[in-house]
Amino acid sequence: MELKVNGKIIKGVGGLYSIRLNAGDADKLRCELPLEGDILLCKGRGVFRHEKLTLLAGDNVTVRVDTELMLAGDRDARASHAKRDTEEADAGVLIDEVLPRKNELIRPPMANLDLLFVVFAAAKPQPILQTIDKLITIAEYKKLSPVIIITKADLAPDAAEEYAALYRKCGFDVFIEGEGMDGSALENFIRQNADKVSAFAGASGVGKSTLMNRLFPSLGLTTGEISAKTARGKHTTRHIELYPLDRQFGEGASGYIADTPGFSMLDFVQYDFYTKDDLPYVFREFEPYIGRCRYTKCTHTKEEGCALLEAVKNGEIPKERHESYLAFYEVLKNKHDWDRK
Ligand SMILES: Nc1nc2c(ncn2[C@@H]2O[C@H](COP(=O)(O)OP(=O)(O)O)[C@@H](O)[C@H]2O)c(=O)[nH]1
Ligand SMILES: [Mg+2]
Ligand SMILES: [Zn+2]
């Protein structure tokens, strides 16, 4: 018998995807098969490759299950969770269809996000505001609400407060975190958004995995692999993985939270997501000033009578943010041939 069931890609490594089935569909499958848990391991149809369709963590998919083939498959492999997490797909299971995406990101590569936590450290590594602003503006452009998290405040409490003030002034929600600090405000925020799909994004080493482990110990316990120890003894996240929030908050929580491997500055600057015409609109604190400049074609870089430059001078817009704007403008102004991602 052939069955079609729906679920979400929660992890993809080397062309092998972990699909978490929707609750009703997992039940449907369990009527036919001795399925343990609600995760299927499978590949995508070959046609996806031909169409150059990259399956992403967060994708909602339809999976085709041949129950006879699956039953005939290696049951021992299915019984052992450890083995299941290795390279073998379940027999008779294939991703058949990818449902339309609400949005997609290339860095980190994910689909259907509601919220993006932009994470940076108050120190170690020293934040590069341009990188942070780039991530924020991409999130704004894709219409996923960016929320700022400043980590390692224990190492540089004053710097953490200054960065927080800067981004709060622009109208963002900001959370300050650090070793030995009370993370309950952020935990509450995530609990209130437990029906959403969110991700922790930011450069590697800023403390994303550490924070996730601290806030959501039950996610770590059930998966045991939020931070895998490498030979060097460092915690690294090698791939994106979505963690179901019901593990932490109980059945009503239908959302997911993702840890991502982060990115290097180099990965990041290669991608152009929006044009220079979009640029003023992806800085939310610029909004009240747009349309008030002397020249209708004002670029807000150096013109006389620019309302935005005036606001920077008066301290209404943080000058660091306008510096990011200028830097992005410089890159974007010479580009004509957009490969929008
Ligand atoms: N002092 C301090 N160190 C931290 C904090 N969070 C993470 N670290 C350290 O920073 C390093 C990188 O953390 P990790 O969570 O792997 O960063 P990720 O790459 O963003 O996931 C590790 O050595 C952590 O122990 C923090 O709040 N305070
Ligand atoms: Mg990590
Ligand atoms: Zn202007």
Side-chain angles (χ1 to χ4, degrees), residues 289-295 297-309 325:
Y289 307 96
I290 292 172
R292 297 174 161 221
C293 306
R294 185 177 304 160
Y295 307 110
K297 291 206 164 165
C298 188
T299 63
H300 322 301
T301 56
K302 53 180 186 290
E303 290 89 344
E304 289 282 313
C306 171
L308 231 138
L309 284 171
Y325 173 87

Side-chain angles (χ1 to χ4, degrees), residues 326-337:
L326 289 175
F328 302 165
Y329 186 87
E330 269 311 299
V331 177
L332 296 177
K333 75 170 189 204
N334 298 319
K335 300 230 172 186
H336 304 292
D337 201 10

Side-chain angles (χ1 to χ4, degrees), residues 6 14 38 40 134 153 160 170 193 205 214 240 276 326 329 340-341:
N6 288 305
D38 52 8
L40 292 177
K134 183 129 189 207
C170 301
N193 288 285
R214 191 156 63 83
I240 293 179
K276 81 175 184 332
L326 289 175
Y329 186 87
R340 285 227 211 172
K341 302 270 163 79

Side-chain angles (χ1 to χ4, degrees), residues 114-172:
D114 298 305
L115 274 178
L116 191 71
F117 291 103
V118 173
V119 187
F120 65 91
K124 291 190 180 175
Q126 196 69 30
I128 302 165
L129 294 186
Q130 255 187 54
T131 317
I132 295 151
D133 286 333
K134 183 129 189 207
L135 193 48
I136 292 172
T137 55
I138 290 166
E140 297 274 28
Y141 183 70
K142 302 271 178 183
K143 305 236 178 309
L144 15 134
S145 327
V147 173
I148 314 291
I149 301 177
I150 302 169
T151 55
K152 307 198 190 184
D154 52 309
L155 299 179
D158 294 345
E161 288 296 341
E162 278 168 35
Y163 293 125
L166 193 163
Y167 285 102
R168 283 190 182 124
K169 193 174 170 78
C170 301
F172 295 102

Side-chain angles (χ1 to χ4, degrees), residues 205 208-210 226-227 235-237 259-261:
K208 297 181 295 295
S209 299
T210 306
I226 285 183
S227 354
H235 295 276
T236 44
T237 312
D259 189 15
T260 72

